[in-house]
Amino acid sequence: MLLIMPPHGNCNGDHNHQHDNPEMGIEYSLYSKINTENLECLNEAVEGSGKTVFKPWEDRLNFEVFVESDADQELLFNIPFVGNVKLKGIIIAGEEADNFPNRVRLFKNRPNMTFDDVSSKPDQEFEISQDNQGLLEYATKVVTFNNVHHLSLHFPSNFGADVTRLAYIGLKGEFFEAHHHGVTICNYEIRPNMMDHKNPLNENVSRDVQ
């Protein structure tokens, strides 16, 4: 039996049976709620490779599909969702090597982040351990990561290699359809239009009062 120790006390301690838990595939299905067309990964060596690491739970150990940084160790993901999510956990998987990221910083609802923006304080940060099984789950602050429509993940460093490589990013949580306000706005606009007929009277009254 594989014994996995919780890294630095930052993640959920019960890992021993996750590999044979069929519900993990359902819990880690937020990848399907990502607006993939607008997802971007900054400093990726191969254009578009950052999108490939958001994949089904059962494909998490396919290390032939991965993203690798280009100029240095840093990677920055800007992840828009098609609705709102309550983010509960994250898993980072890849081959055990010095190029595995050793830290991840999470930013909520800050679209279009660049490396100039990552100096700001993250909403949460984890030191992460090498994981070639995709079993180490890092529990997010649910209160903080409630009502998330955009998530940025910054990987600033690794275990000593010149570039960073990872094969899987799993996002666990609940998805909620985005509210469409068009009808509501129209309803509110109807009322002022109906009252427009009374505007002259209102203006006269205002003048009289003055």
Side-chain angles (χ1 to χ4, degrees):
M1 183 176 182
L2 179 64
L3 179 63
I4 301 178
M5 300 300 293
H8 310 290
N10 283 326
C11 59
N12 194 329
D14 185 12
H15 306 295
N16 295 336
H17 302 289
Q18 287 188 4
H19 59 288
D20 50 20
N21 183 354
E23 294 185 359
M24 289 297 290
I26 299 175
E27 293 178 352
Y28 274 87
S29 61
L30 283 184
Y31 74 92
S32 65
K33 305 302 181 182
I34 294 174
N35 182 348
T36 308
E37 182 177 349
N38 292 319
L39 184 153
E40 62 175 354
C41 177
L42 279 63
N43 196 39
E44 58 184 4
V46 178
E47 184 177 356
S49 59
K51 299 179 180 182
T52 66
V53 302
F54 299 92
K55 50 194 174 184
W57 164 259
E58 56 269 22
D59 295 335
R60 72 192 187 281
L61 302 185
N62 179 8
F63 297 159
E64 295 180 2
V65 179
F66 59 85
V67 61
E68 187 172 77
S69 62
D70 185 15
D72 52 31
Q73 298 179 350
E74 289 187 89
L75 285 169
L76 176 61
F77 292 86
N78 283 316
I79 309 162
F81 295 99
V82 295
N84 295 318
V85 304
K86 180 187 292 184
L87 184 66
K88 298 182 177 180
I90 183 170
I91 288 177
I92 311 296
E95 295 178 310
E96 289 190 355
D98 288 344
N99 59 13
F100 194 93
N102 63 0
R103 193 153 53 103
V104 61
R105 307 168 74 237
L106 284 65
F107 298 87
K108 169 189 174 182
N109 296 342
R110 304 190 206 180
N112 305 314
M113 287 190 69
T114 68
F115 288 112
D116 292 333
D117 303 316
V118 297
S119 59
S120 59
K121 182 179 179 181
D123 294 288
Q124 194 167 5
E125 182 172 359
F126 297 107
E127 292 184 6
I128 55 181
S129 297
Q130 296 183 24
D131 181 9
N132 65 355
Q133 295 296 314
L135 300 180
L136 299 182
E137 178 182 277
Y138 301 86
T140 58
K141 304 172 185 175
V142 178
V143 174
T144 300
F145 289 93
N146 191 13
N147 198 27
V148 179
H149 59 78
H150 186 282
L151 177 68
S152 295
L153 300 178
H154 176 223
F155 296 89
S157 55
N158 58 34
F159 286 90
D162 292 334
V163 297
T164 296
R165 178 189 291 191
L166 59 92
Y168 174 75
I169 297 178
L171 302 175
K172 172 184 176 180
E174 300 175 25
F175 174 79
F176 306 92
E177 295 287 348
H179 295 293
H180 299 286
H181 298 289
V183 175
T184 304
I185 293 173
C186 291
N187 289 340
Y188 278 109
E189 288 178 348
I190 289 173
R191 292 187 183 122
N193 290 338
M194 293 175 64
M195 296 297 291
D196 283 346
H197 300 290
K198 297 183 180 182
N199 283 347
L201 178 59
N202 291 339
E203 291 174 0
N204 290 335
V205 172
S206 297
R207 293 192 186 99
D208 291 341
V209 171
Q210 292 174 355

